[in-house]
Amino acid sequence: MSGRLALAGSIAGLCVVAAIAGPYVLDSYTVNILVRSFLYAATALTVDILWGYAGILTFGQAAFFGIGAYAAGITFTYLDFSPQNAVLALLAGLAVSAAVAAVTGWISFFHGASPLYVAIVTLAMPIIFVQILYSGGTFTGSSSGLVGYNTFDLSVESWFTICGVGLVVLTTVAWFFVNSDFGRMLVAIRENEQRCTYLGINAPRIKILLMVVMAMIASVAGYAYAGYTVVVAPEIGSFVFGTELVMWVALGGRGTLIGPVLGTIVIDVTTAYLSGNLPFVWKLIIGSIFVLVIVALPQGIIPVVRTALGRMWSAATGRSAMASSFTVPAIVDARAGRRAGAGSDAPALDVADLTRSYGSLKVLEGVTFKALGSELLGIIGPNGAGKTTLMRCLSDGYERTGGTVAAFGQTIARVPPHGVVGFGIGRSFQTTSLFETLTVAECLTLARYRLDGAGMMSRMPELALPDSARHVIAATGLDREMEIECRHLSHGMKRALELAMVLALEPSVLLLDEPTAGLTKPERTLIGNILVELVQREGLCTLIIEHDLDFVRDISTRIIVLHQGKVLLDGSVAEVVGSELVRTIYAGGEHKGAAR
Amino acid sequence: MIALALDIITTAAILFAVAAGLLIILGVLKIVNFAHGGFLTIGGYSALVVTQLGWSPWLAYPVAALAGMVMGAVVERFVIRPLYDRPLDAILATWGLGIIIGQLITIIFGREIQFVQTPIAGATSVIGETYSLYRLFLIVAAAAVAAGIAALLNATRLGLEARAVIMNEPLARGLGINSGHVRFVTFCFGAGLASLAGALITPLSSVDPNMGVPWLVNAFMLVLVSSVSLTSLAAAALALGGAQVLVSSFVSPVIGGLTIVVLAALLLRIRPAGFGRG
């Protein structure tokens, strides 16, 4: 980390020097253009954080840029320029942008929203903004905008230095932000939002907050633009500018920060020089390059350059340029006693008359049972019996059609999965559902976000895990693979990580959907032993779905048989295994079950 | 009152014709074709060329459809095909294509507004109300477009394959359907429809290199609320287009221009299936 930090620091330092020295070296036309490019680049940076890191494709940053610019333009035109009014305009721009972004975010992000939807809403935003400007008549200057108001008494050179240094600072802060624990969480939300919500992360709220902050940054850039150019016109808040920002980010390289900044500056300056001579041809060339880059180099130009430089560097020095950049956090003990429902007399899980229907099809009907702490409840039943649906209804308050679910006497209302996690219910998935590009350590850190929070600007040096999770990673050897990205793990390791992540949530009720599917016999035994020990030692109420009757018999304290959406049997292991009924359902009894 | 009702119906017909091509491409290829505006523009300029050559204005429609299909074939082969697995990138690439088409047209035809000849001029009396004949013709044209698509989907082997791909692409491939071929033909067809719509709307307004963009956004919103169904699209065009006409007449034309976008966005928030049955 320190090497990379030093490198980033020296690059930032050089850029600051350049921002101060620039006006003395460059001709005045270039300086003039560059100020504008810096402001565009700052806005492109916000698009990159939203799109490149958090996966929110937005065309709306132009509208926030426009709001900031018009806040300045209107204030200076009608109230005249004064230091007080300058502050007033800045605050007004920030407030309006934040409010509009919050509303947009509320409309765009909700449990189950498609990623395309936010693109649509943000596409509509600049269109609406421009129409509002048109209907504002002379007050907003309609299509010609506002010109020639009094503004800051600053030379072009000062603007250059202020905007240049501002851009360097913003980029540096953004770099720390995206590399922090919080930044990793954004990537996790992009890759697998559903899994994040089951880790207790309120993804919609995080996205709305991010959108509000990015809107405010774009608004400041727009404000500076209005102060510098002394002209505001509808074009700066338009749909076309919104798409141009996305194009610059895509060309530079999304998710790289530096790519979009350099891409914007290079393209904007070139445009300024070329558009005078060949306006249409230049736009045609940009459009063609854009299509080409999207098709052939989806990562953009900067990553390609960086990979090439990295190869040259390692060829020249014999060292790998792509060394691991961050230290792995040390694993420490988690503070005890934060389990939900501790000390409660009510059953850990109380399910009453649970129903789930899709139209006229009833997948679950009248499911009623109680489960206590220190019980390991096996749930068996043939395919299509409704086992996984039951898990879904227990872990997502919106899923069930009727009936009630209570944990430790508290009824679970219709809340999204991240709310259910707050009741102490943790769930693992039937198909491994991890974050492909995150490392093992990052996945575990993510699972701890609900309890430990995440640093906005840094990585935590320590990773606090409860005993149970530490036990799983130690027993399966995951503790030696902390730096490995999840996609490189073996299937068994992935299952173990999945289990460790759920345990890291410190749940009081554990829902496991076929935790041993596709594992070898020794791996299965290992996980089984861990589970039994967990239940006995920590009093964790565990529900486990399994097809392997032998496995269930070995570890369970009680078994529930589901058949065609109803509870067929609920009894001790001996009762259920000895039951004729179960043998009939499984058509051939134990043998077939064991073979699975 | 009658004029208002006719306005609503003709507006819905125009919106339906404009959005149909986008809907078909979204249904089969699962990508949002932002070059749709560009294809509309191509249709508009095809009509302009027909006018400039002094041909019959009726010829504008086949010429536009053909031009759109040829462009669609080129675009599908070189841009759309590599992006099948990246739907969000396809939005961006097709937007870039829209820019390319707009700039090429600007270079060839200039950026000024131009007018085309209309095949049907004049007005007629509908229940005592004088109304533009061409707008009435558009109802017929939209109905013909709808009937044409329905016939293709329901009565041809390719239509059957297209419906199979819409419902379950992996399964369709497993059954030996060449989904690549279905995609190619669908994209050409959708592009041709877009150009035809461009030629249909030009006599109402004028042509300029960016004429497609405002239509694109409305068409896009309509398609999203109709969950890949032609009947839902017709319903959405009638409901939202009607709202647009009402707001434009009674509130303000500027706000009227936003009606479809705002209503569709809110509708999707409340009911993600939109006008579909979901």
Side-chain angles (χ1 to χ4, degrees):
Chain A
M1 169 109 184
S2 60
R4 196 161 147 165
L5 202 63
L7 185 69
S10 41
I11 292 175
L14 279 177
C15 292
V16 169
V17 172
I20 294 165
Y24 302 101
V25 185
L26 302 165
D27 63 281
S28 63
Y29 180 70
T30 312
V31 170
N32 230 313
I33 295 299
L34 272 171
V35 177
R36 187 185 71 182
S37 308
F38 290 161
L39 296 172
Y40 286 172
T43 316
L45 195 74
T46 64
V47 174
D48 189 35
I49 291 175
L50 285 167
W51 179 38
Y53 288 92
I56 305 166
L57 178 56
T58 173
F59 299 99
Q61 291 305 97
F64 299 123
F65 188 87
I67 288 172
Y70 267 87
I74 291 172
T75 312
F76 298 163
T77 303
Y78 295 102
L79 299 177
D80 204 2
F81 179 83
S82 71
Q84 291 87 347
N85 285 345
V87 175
L88 178 78
L90 180 66
L91 293 180
L94 286 173
V96 175
S97 303
V100 172
V103 172
T104 313
W106 176 79
I107 294 177
S108 311
F109 307 122
F110 50 95
H111 180 55
S114 103
L116 189 61
Y117 185 60
V118 64
I120 304 160
V121 175
T122 57
L123 189 71
M125 214 162 44
I127 297 173
I128 295 172
F129 176 70
V130 170
Q131 291 301 328
I132 290 172
L133 292 180
Y134 282 160
S135 52
T138 47
F139 182 69
T140 53
S142 196
S143 60
S144 46
L146 300 167
V147 206
Y149 41 80
N150 291 322
T151 177
F152 298 94
D153 184 20
L154 289 172
S155 65
V156 175
E157 288 74 23
S158 320
W159 275 109
F160 184 91
T161 305
I162 293 169
C163 295
V165 173
L167 181 61
V168 175
V169 170
L170 182 67
T171 314
T172 314
V173 171
W175 188 83
F176 278 105
F177 174 70
V178 299
N179 285 301
S180 69
D181 285 329
F182 197 86
R184 292 282 89 188
M185 187 161 67
L186 292 181
V187 173
I189 291 175
R190 178 187 75 199
E191 298 221 333
N192 195 341
E193 179 167 342
Q194 197 209 10
R195 189 73 182 94
C196 281
T197 63
Y198 282 98
L199 292 176
I201 295 169
N202 188 343
R205 193 171 68 189
I206 288 169
K207 287 205 220 174
I208 294 173
L209 276 177
L210 185 72
M211 202 152 186
V212 168
V213 175
M214 293 305 133
M216 289 164 82
I217 294 172
S219 153
V220 173
Y223 173 83
Y225 178 90
Y228 168 68
T229 59
V230 205
V231 50
V232 289
E235 283 73 44
I236 54 172
S238 72
F239 165 63
V240 173
F241 181 47
T243 50
E244 268 176 337
L245 286 167
V246 173
M247 280 172 67
W248 295 334
V249 171
L251 286 175
R254 65 188 95 158
T256 60
L257 297 185
I258 199 75
V261 168
L262 288 181
T264 306
I265 294 174
V266 168
I267 296 170
D268 190 48
V269 170
T270 324
T271 307
Y273 273 99
L274 289 187
S275 61
N277 307 328
L278 11 121
F280 309 129
V281 177
W282 170 244
K283 256 187 113 179
L284 180 66
I285 294 170
I286 283 286
S288 311
I289 295 177
F290 176 63
V291 173
L292 203 69
V293 165
I294 291 284
V295 172
L297 306 170
Q299 290 314 308
I301 292 168
I302 287 288
V304 174
V305 173
R306 194 161 57 187
T307 314
L309 284 180
R311 281 219 192 94
M312 278 159 62
W313 168 259
S314 41
T317 60
R319 280 191 298 164
S320 167
M322 292 292 167
S324 165
S325 43
F326 290 97
T327 43
V328 175
I331 296 174
V332 296
D333 266 327
R335 196 152 52 81
R338 280 196 285 181
R339 286 228 153 93
S344 164
D345 289 337
L349 198 61
D350 188 348
V351 181
D353 203 24
L354 186 71
T355 339
R356 175 70 172 108
S357 45
Y358 297 91
S360 61
L361 177 70
K362 286 191 171 159
V363 179
L364 288 177
E365 205 180 343
V367 173
T368 304
F369 66 90
K370 286 189 174 72
L372 307 174
S374 77
E375 259 192 315
L376 207 164
L377 192 57
I379 295 179
I380 61 170
N383 281 326
K387 303 184 297 292
T388 300
T389 308
L390 174 64
M391 289 288 183
R392 262 214 304 276
C393 290
L394 296 180
S395 57
D396 180 349
Y398 288 126
E399 272 290 328
R400 63 178 188 267
T401 320
T404 55
V405 178
F408 301 100
Q410 284 180 293
T411 311
I412 297 175
R414 298 224 172 254
V415 288
H418 64 80
V420 178
V421 176
F423 286 94
I425 297 180
R427 176 193 172 188
S428 84
F429 286 77
Q430 186 174 9
T431 44
T432 28
S433 153
L434 293 167
F435 307 95
E436 297 281 299
T437 61
L438 263 55
T439 65
V440 172
E442 284 168 349
C443 283
L444 289 167
T445 311
L446 202 63
R448 293 297 296 174
Y449 166 73
R450 185 178 73 90
L451 294 168
D452 294 343
M456 291 268 189
M457 286 292 139
S458 62
R459 297 234 175 166
M460 281 189 221
E462 289 175 343
L463 171 59
L465 289 178
D467 270 352
S468 51
R470 297 179 62 178
H471 190 92
V472 171
I473 59 171
T476 53
L478 263 179
D479 53 348
R480 293 185 299 274
E481 315 276 351
M482 295 297 268
E483 281 176 78
I484 307 289
E485 286 184 14
C486 288
R487 58 186 160 165
H488 299 310
L489 292 177
S490 70
H491 180 71
M493 289 281 201
K494 280 184 183 165
R495 301 291 330 182
L497 178 58
E498 175 99 31
L499 184 61
M501 279 162 70
V502 180
L503 291 172
L505 289 174
E506 300 193 27
S508 311
V509 178
L510 194 57
L511 308 176
L512 302 175
D513 197 346
E514 297 198 38
T516 65
L519 296 189
T520 60
K521 185 83 185 162
E523 284 170 331
R524 232 178 326 183
T525 316
L526 179 70
I527 292 207
N529 290 340
I530 291 174
L531 288 179
V532 170
E533 201 191 304
L534 258 177
V535 174
Q536 286 171 351
R537 207 174 37 155
E538 305 201 11
L540 198 61
C541 171
T542 304
L543 266 68
I544 181 166
I545 291 184
E546 265 300 339
H547 272 294
D548 183 345
L549 271 185
D550 283 338
F551 182 68
V552 176
R553 189 172 56 190
D554 287 346
I555 65 167
S556 301
T557 55
R558 206 174 108 205
I559 294 179
I560 285 181
V561 184
L562 271 185
H563 184 52
Q564 294 181 346
K566 291 177 186 155
V567 177
L568 196 72
L569 259 181
D570 180 351
S572 71
V573 176
E575 273 170 5
V576 171
V577 172
S579 151
E580 270 306 315
L581 203 57
V582 173
R583 280 169 205 268
T584 338
I585 291 174
Y586 273 86
E590 273 185 41
H591 280 302
K592 193 152 187 207
R596 170 70 171 80
Chain B
M1 194 60 217
I2 292 162
L4 195 66
L6 285 173
D7 274 347
I8 290 175
I9 297 171
T10 50
T11 304
I14 296 166
L15 286 169
F16 179 86
V18 167
L22 196 62
L23 179 92
I24 287 180
I25 291 175
L26 179 68
V28 176
L29 283 81
K30 319 274 184 309
I31 63 165
V32 178
N33 175 27
F34 266 32
H36 192 71
F39 288 119
L40 282 172
T41 316
I42 288 176
Y45 277 85
S46 304
L48 181 70
V49 170
V50 169
T51 300
Q52 284 175 347
L53 289 173
W55 293 356
S56 156
W58 289 107
L59 276 177
Y61 307 131
V63 169
L66 194 68
M69 281 168 120
V70 172
M71 272 301 287
V74 176
V75 165
E76 202 281 344
R77 178 63 195 85
F78 293 104
V79 179
I80 306 296
R81 201 167 294 179
L83 297 177
Y84 279 162
D85 305 327
R86 296 186 267 144
L88 280 184
D89 283 2
I91 293 186
L92 298 174
T94 48
W95 172 253
L97 268 176
I99 294 177
I100 295 176
I101 294 172
Q103 293 310 310
L104 283 175
I105 285 179
T106 311
I107 291 168
I108 300 170
F109 293 97
R111 62 195 301 194
E112 64 276 5
I113 291 171
Q114 300 181 65
F115 295 92
V116 301
Q117 211 185 338
T118 165
I120 308 173
T124 183
S125 171
V126 183
I127 330 176
E129 190 75 43
T130 315
Y131 203 77
S132 153
L133 251 181
Y134 188 76
R135 285 187 74 102
L136 293 173
F137 162 71
L138 284 178
I139 302 175
V140 180
V145 165
I149 298 170
L152 263 179
L153 279 179
N154 294 315
T156 66
R157 170 151 194 100
L158 191 78
L160 180 67
E161 291 182 351
R163 280 186 291 149
V165 174
I166 290 176
M167 283 174 200
N168 189 341
E169 180 161 355
L171 186 62
R173 290 169 73 116
L175 293 172
I177 292 175
N178 182 348
S179 68
H181 179 66
V182 174
R183 282 160 177 262
F184 176 75
V185 175
T186 309
F187 194 85
C188 295
F189 184 60
L193 269 180
S195 293
L196 175 63
L200 280 170
I201 58 178
T202 43
L204 293 176
S205 49
S206 54
V207 292
D208 70 86
N210 295 315
M211 61 177 271
V213 177
W215 289 102
L216 167 68
V217 177
N218 280 345
F220 177 56
M221 291 316 232
L222 285 173
V223 166
L224 285 168
V225 295
S226 31
S227 31
V228 201
S229 143
L230 278 177
T231 14
S232 307
L233 179 63
L238 199 59
L240 299 184
Q244 182 190 23
V245 171
L246 292 177
V247 173
S248 304
S249 319
F250 296 114
V251 187
S252 109
V254 176
I255 301 178
L258 297 175
T259 316
I260 293 182
V261 172
V262 174
L263 284 184
L266 291 178
L267 179 69
L268 286 172
R269 174 67 167 90
I270 300 161
R271 186 180 147 81
F275 281 82
R277 269 175 264 136

